[in-house]
């Protein structure tokens, strides 16, 4: 009987090897709260991020070994607000090398939640692969009561090792939900349901199994026109954000010009509106070859071209539904290709 069952299992594994052979997943650790430690178990918000090394993170969740063959790499050990374009470019190169290896089936990146969406979107644009790349964080350090990191990591490994995650774009795994890198954002800064997307989650992971409900319609990864291999510098063209409000100062924009920005993303009020006393300054900068991108400080909706401001007339760009921090990255990548305002506008509709 046992022999028959063994032969049956062998025959099935030959027919459907993916059901039986475990995939190889590399966990690339960068720091953040998921690697954080607090003084006591009741410290859920007061703690030091980026303390716990990758092997300890993996050993804390031994159940991931049932899902995949997991190995760890410590790429960085920092809080994610400290990431600059230099770290982003270096990390992308490291991930690009990993996805090229035939024996790597999926990647999990453990990351601080503050700029997790930026890293996810950048990788979504510059890594050409259909292998799952999953970014995961946590809102509570591992030392806290009801720490969310262990289950988030378990779910992330489940997702990165699942064949059905292939080709779906760079993914963010938080609080059981699977999000698309382009529209996920940190929307709550204190609770474990910190991330959302105005267009909804793509799916969910329950008990190590993936369930899918949507797909992104935007270009990403293999179909992206950007590629980390084409970026020859260690950083990106300088793009900065100015936050819109009432009572603004033209000097904020002029200071950025002094600092050498190549583009300014205006996180405008409402539908990307700009005060009439700021418009001449932006036009002056635009005429000096600084791209002006109208995004919005409002977390949902999208900026409509030529509404609120005459973008065609001014040569400005509407960021569509990309939030200011993602608009900054897309603009920087566009500038590596010397995109003009028209080209940049096309990119905002494409990604
Ligand atoms: N400041 C931390 C970070 O982004 C917060 C977190 O990980 O939740 O690294």
């Amino acid at each position: 009987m046992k022999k028959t069952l063994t032969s049956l299992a062998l025959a099935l594994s030959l027919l459907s090897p993916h059901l039986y052979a475990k995939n190889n997943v590399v966990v690339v650790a960068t720091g953040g709260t998921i690697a954080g430690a607090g003084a006591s178990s009741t410290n859920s918000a007061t703690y030091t991020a980026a303390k716990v090394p990758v092997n300890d993170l993996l050993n804390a969740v031994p159940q991931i070994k049932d899902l995949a063959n997991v190995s760890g790499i410590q790429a960085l050990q920092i809080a994610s607000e400290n990431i600059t374009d230099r770290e982003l470019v270096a990390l992308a190169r490291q991930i690009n090398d990993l996805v090229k290896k035939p024996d790597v089936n999926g990647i999990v990146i453990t990351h601080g939640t503050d700029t997790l969406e930026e890293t996810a979107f950048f990788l979504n644009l510059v890594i050409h692969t259909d292998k799952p790349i999953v970014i995961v964080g946590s809102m509570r350090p591992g030392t806290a009561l009801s720490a969310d990191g262990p289950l988030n990591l378990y779910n992330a490994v489940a997702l990165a090792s699942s064949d059905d995650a292939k080709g779906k774009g760079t993914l963010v795994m938080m609080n059981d939900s699977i999000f698309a890198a382009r529209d996920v954002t940190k929307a709550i800064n204190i609770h474990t349901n910190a991330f959302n997307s105005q267009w909804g989650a793509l799916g969910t992971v329950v008990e190590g199994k993936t369930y899918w409900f949507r797909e992104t319609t935007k270009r990403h990864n293999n179909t992206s026109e950007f590629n980390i291999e084409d970026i020859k510098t260690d950083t990106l063209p300088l793009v900065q954000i100015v936050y819109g409000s009432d009572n603004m100062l033209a000097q904020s924009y002029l200071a950025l010009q002094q600092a050498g920005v190549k583009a300014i993303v205006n996180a405008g009020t409402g539908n990307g509106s700009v005060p009439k006393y700021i418009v001449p300054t932006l036009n002056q900068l635009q005429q000096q070859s600084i791209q002006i991108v109208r995004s919005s400080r409002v977390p949902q909706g999208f900026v409509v071209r030529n509404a609120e401001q005459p973008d065609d007339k001014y040569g400005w760009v509407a960021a569509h539904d990309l939030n200011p921090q993602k608009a900054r990255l897309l603009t920087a990548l566009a500038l590596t290709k010397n995109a003009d305002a028209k080209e940049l506008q096309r990119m905002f509709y494409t990604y």
Side-chain angles (χ1 to χ4, degrees), residues 59-70:
N59 291 336
V61 195
Q63 299 86 341
I64 55 178
K65 293 193 197 115
D66 300 333
L67 300 169
N69 303 313
V70 182

Side-chain angles (χ1 to χ4, degrees), residues 4 42 93 97-98 104 117 126 143 171 187 230-231 251 292 309:
T4 320
T42 51
R93 292 208 170 107
D97 291 344
L98 285 171
V104 171
E117 64 196 84
V126 301
T143 45
L171 302 167
D230 298 335
I231 297 173
Q251 283 92 329
I292 305 297
Q309 293 293 335

Side-chain angles (χ1 to χ4, degrees), residues 168 178 197-203 211-217:
K168 296 225 165 56
I178 306 166
S197 155
Q198 67 165 325
W199 309 123
L202 301 180
Y211 296 86
W212 297 92
F213 299 99
R214 299 173 205 280
E215 276 189 28
T216 182
T217 58

